[in-house]
């Protein structure tokens, strides 16, 4: 059972045999109570968390707290890849609109098409609400660019402004530690 | 419940808020089955693992497999701090004796005395078996040295050889990347 526990820990992202072994012995030697809490927290979360019917983020409600919040601006919709992006943007404290979670990017090679990510739901949501601006807060990969392009086409005829989050040198970031693509982008997008 | 899960992950050694968040979303977004397996593995291990009545390592039996193994040499006893040390030594494949797990080191400052670590059990075990050599495979801390010293005194009158694992430059290790204390030790212990 110790080896089963070590193996189960190696399924976490970035956790190899050594860290997994360390976790298992840490719990079994001195922290059984914390281990039981983790076991229960996992079970509770997995059994109770589902996708918001409106924005598709993870929530314990049918409609998540942000979508339910009357004070948030319904006219701006921020499109992200996954729920953890929402947590990051919320932590910045400057955004008061709504969100939509794609759940992935278009990738014909991997067989990921329009129905596999939330594009149909996104179209329905935008068409049934008064969205005037869509912010694409996706990553900088090829798949993300293809997906962004698809979304731009989808709302081409609608009177909706489509923007992208700015990319460039991070605040406090040094030029010498920044990759050349980011430097190039920060120069072409200078303002 | 998502935040409870993230918090539960931060109790693991070396896991901060960022890694814990990554683990939680990894499981809730795409790997619920693996999460349930981890939850169950934790519960099973915590409920079934206890300390071996003879060597005090973690085991699901009353007496662990190594202590039960008739082929292992009863005359050599390797004293280690914790069960994971046994796993490391077993992986090296050169040791065929038995083990004893202290479960900590003497530390008057932290209120850890003779009864808190396995010293009484160690004395009983040695006195009731035919141990002729005790190998101290403990760490290099001050507390470990005090504990080693206590063990040496404990068996001073008995006809038992007490040895310590060799310390020095690791195989394949470069002098320039080795700390000065290890270099000093490797010079005084040259052979």
């Amino acid at each position: 059972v110790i080896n089963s526990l070590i193996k189960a820990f190696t399924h976490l992202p970035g956790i190899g045999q050594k860290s997994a072994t360390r976790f298992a012995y840490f719990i079994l030697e001195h922290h059984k109570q914390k281990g039981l809490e983790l076991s229960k927290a996992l079970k509770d979360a997995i059994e109770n968390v589902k996708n918001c019917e409106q924005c598709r983020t993870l929530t314990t409600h049918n409609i998540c707290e942000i979508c339910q919040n009357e004070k948030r601006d319904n006219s701006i919709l921020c499109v992200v890849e996954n729920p953890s992006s929402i947590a990051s943007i919320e932590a910045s404290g400057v955004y008061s609109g709504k969100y939509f979670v794609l759940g992935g990017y278009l990738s014909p090679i991997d067989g990921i098409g329009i129905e596999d990510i939330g594009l149909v739901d996104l179209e329905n949501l935008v068409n049934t609400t008064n969205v005037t601006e869509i912010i694409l807060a996706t990553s900088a990969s090829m798949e993300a660019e293809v997906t962004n392009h698809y979304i731009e086409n989808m709302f081409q005829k609608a009177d909706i402004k489509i923007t992208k989050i700015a990319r460039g040198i991070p605040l406090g970031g040094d030029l010498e530690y920044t990759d050349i693509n980011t430097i190039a982008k920060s120069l072409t997008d200078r303002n």
Side-chain angles (χ1 to χ4, degrees), chain A residues 13 21 31 42 50 53 55 69-70 75 77 89 106 112-113 122 137 144 146 154 168 171:
Chain A
T21 305
H31 299 91
L42 273 165
K50 49 198 168 184
E53 290 173 8
C55 78
N69 188 339
E70 305 270 336
S75 67
L77 189 68
I89 294 173
L106 288 174
I112 300 175
L122 174 62
V146 170
M154 196 157 65
L171 301 190

Side-chain angles (χ1 to χ4, degrees), chain A residues 74-131:
Chain A
N74 266 315
S75 67
I76 311 181
L77 189 68
C78 181
V79 174
V80 295
E81 191 209 350
N82 54 47
S84 43
S85 301
I86 295 182
S88 302
I89 294 173
E90 286 296 293
S92 80
V94 300
Y95 182 69
S96 60
K98 301 276 173 111
Y99 292 96
F100 185 82
V101 175
L102 290 172
Y105 295 125
L106 288 174
S107 176
I109 279 182
D110 302 318
I112 300 175
I114 293 151
E115 295 81 14
D116 300 311
I117 66 176
L119 291 171
V120 176
D121 291 343
L122 174 62
E123 192 164 21
N124 289 338
L125 177 64
V126 171
N127 288 340
T128 55
T129 51
N130 56 346
V131 172

Side-chain angles (χ1 to χ4, degrees), chain A residues 124-163:
Chain A
N124 289 338
L125 177 64
V126 171
N127 288 340
T128 55
T129 51
N130 56 346
V131 172
T132 57
E133 178 179 354
I134 293 174
I135 303 175
L136 300 173
T138 51
S139 65
S141 68
M142 180 70 82
E143 288 80 10
E145 287 306 321
V146 170
T147 309
N148 284 345
H149 196 71
Y150 186 92
I151 295 171
E152 284 168 325
N153 275 340
M154 196 157 65
F155 300 113
Q156 209 171 20
K157 287 175 187 164
D159 190 19
I160 294 174
K161 186 165 70 172
I162 298 194
T163 57

